Amino acid sequence: MDPRITVLIAKPGLDGHTRGALVVAQALRDAGMNVVYSGIRKTPEQIVQLAIRKQVDIIGLSCLSGAHLEHFPEVVRLLREKQLPIPVIGGGVIPHEHIPHLLAAGISAIFTSGTPLQTIVSYIRDTVTVHGGQSYNCFSTSPG
């Protein structure tokens, strides 16, 4: 397994805007992380299946269509149903009054438009468990 942190950047729902997600993906790659990009218009089920297949450490959801209240919690629900403790973060055009609901639904953090990219990189590094340069997630063996 590659010792670097692996991040899935995913676009749930019918949202076809990609610029923000791709800018974040590039910043994470520049920071030395493996990045898997889902492409646009994915269902929560497709996102969870991709996360499993790629054995990611964390999932970043991007939404500009206003459907974040539906899709973000559904991804978390599906992960919990499969007993996969993969952290999920969200970003995009998200009204501040929606953030408490998303956090209560299990989203680890929300990064709205204008968040410095280094803030996202630092949050992921602080959130994903790394021991001796090796990331350990629910798919790998604990370092003991």
Side-chain angles (χ1 to χ4, degrees), residues 31-136:
M33 299 179 196
N34 290 322
V35 178
V36 177
Y37 177 61
S38 71
I40 60 173
R41 300 188 179 108
K42 300 302 179 192
T43 66
E45 292 83 3
Q46 290 172 317
I47 292 167
V48 169
Q49 288 305 313
L50 184 57
I52 292 168
R53 195 169 62 246
K54 296 297 184 177
Q55 299 186 0
V56 302
D57 297 298
I58 190 166
I59 299 171
L61 301 173
S62 172
C63 185
L64 284 78
S65 70
H68 50 272
L69 289 176
E70 178 181 341
H71 297 304
F72 289 12
E74 180 63 7
V75 169
V76 171
R77 188 191 70 75
L78 291 168
L79 289 170
R80 287 179 177 162
E81 184 177 278
K82 296 180 182 306
Q83 300 180 345
L84 295 171
I86 301 171
V88 177
I89 60 175
V93 178
I94 298 173
H96 287 284
E97 61 268 23
H98 291 178
I99 293 174
H101 174 75
L102 293 168
L103 297 176
I107 307 301
S108 297
I110 297 294
F111 301 101
T112 57
S113 299
T115 300
L117 295 170
Q118 186 56 47
T119 300
I120 300 169
V121 169
S122 294
Y123 181 85
I124 290 172
R125 284 193 173 134
D126 291 344
T127 300
V128 173
T129 303
V130 177
H131 300 278
Q134 171 71 52
S135 69
Y136 286 89

